[in-house]
Amino acid sequence: MDFTYYGHSCFSVVLGGKKILFDPFITGNELAASINIGSIEADYIFVSHGHADHTLDCITLAQSTGAQVVCSWEIHEWLNKKGVPNTHPMNTGGKWHFDFGTVKCVVAQHSSGLPDGSYGGNPMGFIFITDEINFYYSGDTALTLDMQLIPMFAEIDLAILPIGDNFTMGIEDASEATKMIQTKKVIGVHFDTFGFIKIDHQKAIELFRSKGLELILPEIGETINTP
């Protein structure tokens, strides 16, 4: 699976020949100034919750790419009103079979207000179960015992977790989440973008390593091929 990082919690993966973008927030991120959103292609856009740092470029990219947006019911309605008709609403506990594999929505402990102040529905995480890889993207979340359920749904090869603290899990909690998920490899997101979430990269990597875990901190614009 090719994983490309666009900064903050925005990334894309290629699965089954489909390009899947997550939580598009690029133009509002000073650290991602080198990214040209006009060059981004997507067949699907997955949105974990409504906050602007996860939805800012969703409408623009959905319209320019024609991608189907997968999101909560409330975000689906909001996007439809904003001129994005190609949406697929989901909610926590549900799953759907897409042409690249199966996605199950799971609990994320966070909040979810949309940029205009309206309600964004339940924040969600996503488990992707595919022929190539099984991975879990938690979205913005606190450490929660609900993560113990994830290995019941799939054997997870890779987890993509927020690690910046203050608004989400920090490094210590993310390492505990990794053990609950029963995986060994994590790609960290939701760090360094703002002063509230700056981290010590080496300290974070070493903490994970001390627990027998691997933490990858991608550079913005970097593509990683990972099983």
Side-chain angles (χ1 to χ4, degrees):
M1 179 184 78
D2 287 336
F3 171 103
T4 300
Y5 187 50
Y6 296 114
H8 200 54
S9 292
C10 182
F11 60 93
S12 68
V13 301
V14 179
L15 286 170
K18 300 298 181 181
K19 297 172 182 176
I20 307 167
L21 182 69
F22 293 79
D23 285 349
F25 173 72
I26 300 167
T27 59
N29 180 3
E30 293 180 357
L31 302 181
S34 63
I35 303 297
N36 173 17
I37 69 166
S39 68
I40 295 175
E41 300 176 346
D43 298 297
Y44 295 92
I45 299 173
F46 278 74
V47 176
S48 65
H49 66 290
H51 289 163
D53 61 330
H54 295 254
T55 61
L56 182 68
D57 296 311
C58 185
I59 293 170
T60 297
L61 285 166
Q63 291 175 336
S64 67
T65 63
Q68 182 177 75
V69 183
V70 183
C71 55
S72 70
W73 176 265
E74 290 80 3
I75 296 174
H76 143 84
E77 290 189 311
W78 180 75
L79 288 170
N80 289 175
K81 292 174 183 177
K82 295 288 187 179
V84 179
N86 188 12
T87 53
H88 180 101
M90 296 188 73
N91 213 325
T92 47
K95 66 177 182 293
W96 190 261
H97 304 289
F98 295 91
D99 53 5
F100 56 81
T102 298
V103 176
K104 184 173 181 66
C105 293
V106 293
V107 169
Q109 291 292 343
H110 197 59
S111 54
S112 184
L114 285 159
D116 62 6
S118 59
Y119 175 53
N122 292 330
M124 298 187 291
F126 303 105
I127 300 173
F128 279 66
I129 304 165
T130 77
D131 291 338
E132 295 178 44
I133 190 173
N134 296 339
F135 73 89
Y136 164 55
Y137 170 48
S138 69
D140 281 11
T141 188
L143 177 65
T144 169
L145 291 175
D146 286 317
M147 291 171 176
Q148 294 176 347
L149 296 173
I150 291 171
M152 294 172 53
F153 303 133
E155 184 176 339
I156 302 299
D157 301 302
L158 169 73
I160 301 164
L161 305 177
I163 57 171
D165 217 334
N166 195 69
F167 298 114
T168 68
M169 295 186 292
I171 297 301
E172 295 83 1
D173 284 359
S175 67
E176 291 301 314
T178 305
K179 291 189 285 185
M180 290 184 192
I181 297 160
Q182 296 181 20
T183 190
K184 295 287 187 181
K185 181 178 287 188
V186 171
I187 295 178
V189 296
H190 207 279
F191 66 94
D192 283 357
T193 317
F194 317 113
F196 291 119
I197 59 173
K198 291 189 182 297
I199 65 167
D200 182 322
H201 290 213
Q202 194 56 42
K203 182 178 178 181
I205 291 168
E206 289 174 357
L207 177 75
F208 269 69
R209 186 179 295 138
S210 72
K211 299 184 179 186
L213 308 171
E214 180 184 5
L215 174 65
I216 300 167
L217 300 178
E219 297 289 336
I220 294 174
E222 181 181 6
T223 296
I224 300 167
N225 182 269
T226 181

